[in-house]
Amino acid sequence: MRTIKVSGKTIEEALSQALNDLEAQRDEVEYEVLEEPQKGFLGFIGNKPALLKVQVKPQPKEEALSFLKQLLQDMEVKAEVEEKGEGKDIEFHLTGEDLGSLIGKRGKTLDAIQYLVNLVANRHSGQYLRLTVDAEGYRERRKQSLEHLASRLANKALKTRQKVTLEPMNARERKIIHHALQKSREIETFSEGKEPYRKVTILPKDHSGKR
């Protein structure tokens, strides 16, 4: 993070000089007034300029990426990080050998890492970034697995004419289940319970005691 000290007759003049030196826009920096400008005797003898400490604000994506790489190092995991996407939706794809411990059971470790990365990215940002952390294509494999599960349990619900309730899932995985079945004319889904135990229920649309 670049930081400089700069002086000027006024705070605005000093800040303008800092922006020029840093080649930055006003909304890209933050500053601290170290010394207020003071007028001397008769308005000019002993004038004291303003002194500012100005620094470029940390870039959310770069901060998140740096944090992720340091976290991998601390976990003693050798993995390459590839960045994909643009704007507010960014993906960090990890590749390497034996990343199973990084993914964890049903992706829980990977989800925890993703949560921390998003916290770091958005702690200083006025515009929310949505960062996804994936390892060896796990997210897509999990998505396909959940879609197959949704289809299988929907068939079970139709066959038995009874509702089927899945195990607790996070919001992203519940959304996959809902989306996979949303076009069905015979099945409907809803979520119930409180986090982190919220579940998806699948049931026939003509099920009398659905709720």
Side-chain angles (χ1 to χ4, degrees):
M1 185 163 51
R2 293 178 295 166
T3 302
I4 63 172
K5 290 182 180 180
V6 63
S7 61
K9 293 180 180 180
T10 65
I11 291 176
E12 285 303 316
E13 181 181 291
L15 182 57
S16 178
Q17 181 61 49
L19 294 177
N20 184 64
D21 293 346
L22 292 169
E23 297 181 344
Q25 300 298 316
R26 176 65 186 86
D27 60 353
E28 296 175 339
V29 304
E30 51 192 13
Y31 69 91
E32 176 185 356
V33 179
L34 300 177
E35 295 181 8
E36 294 279 356
Q38 296 179 8
K39 290 186 177 181
F41 182 65
L42 298 179
F44 62 91
I45 300 175
N47 283 357
K48 189 175 182 180
L51 179 63
L52 306 184
K53 181 171 74 171
V54 185
Q55 62 184 20
V56 177
K57 293 179 182 178
Q59 296 300 308
K61 184 179 67 175
E62 282 68 25
E63 261 206 312
L65 181 58
S66 177
F67 170 80
L68 177 58
K69 290 181 176 180
Q70 184 61 53
L71 183 60
L72 293 174
Q73 184 177 326
D74 293 342
M75 294 175 68
E76 298 183 348
V77 173
K78 294 182 179 180
E80 297 293 326
V81 183
E82 180 183 2
E83 179 187 326
K84 295 183 178 181
E86 57 185 16
K88 295 182 179 181
D89 291 291
I90 304 294
E91 300 177 4
F92 293 143
H93 287 261
L94 311 180
T95 56
E97 296 182 4
D98 192 23
L99 297 185
S101 61
L102 195 67
I103 296 172
K105 184 178 180 180
R106 293 178 182 169
K108 288 186 177 181
T109 303
L110 193 63
D111 286 342
I113 292 172
Q114 179 173 288
Y115 174 74
L116 293 174
V117 167
N118 275 276
L119 280 183
V120 170
N122 292 294
R123 59 182 174 177
H124 299 303
S125 177
Q127 295 184 335
Y128 185 79
L129 289 181
R130 187 165 41 246
L131 302 178
T132 300
V133 180
D134 195 6
E136 296 290 2
Y138 170 80
R139 299 291 186 196
E140 181 59 30
R141 295 197 306 274
R142 178 63 172 164
K143 178 175 179 290
Q144 292 177 2
S145 177
L146 289 172
E147 288 173 343
H148 292 155
L149 177 65
S151 177
R152 179 167 60 83
L153 294 184
N155 289 333
K156 179 181 178 180
L158 287 173
K159 184 176 181 180
T160 63
R161 311 310 299 174
Q162 297 293 323
K163 68 180 182 180
V164 178
T165 300
L166 285 72
E167 63 182 17
M169 295 179 180
N170 60 42
R172 185 189 67 256
E173 294 192 340
R174 293 197 306 271
K175 183 177 180 180
I176 292 173
I177 298 292
H178 291 308
H179 187 267
L181 300 176
Q182 68 179 3
K183 293 182 179 180
S184 173
R185 295 182 178 180
E186 301 177 287
I187 287 291
E188 63 179 319
T189 64
F190 64 92
S191 294
E192 58 184 344
K194 296 182 179 180
E195 300 289 3
Y197 306 109
R198 197 160 171 78
K199 305 175 182 180
V200 174
T201 291
I202 301 171
L203 70 163
K205 287 187 175 180
D206 61 355
H207 183 73
S208 58
K210 67 178 181 180
R211 315 226 181 186

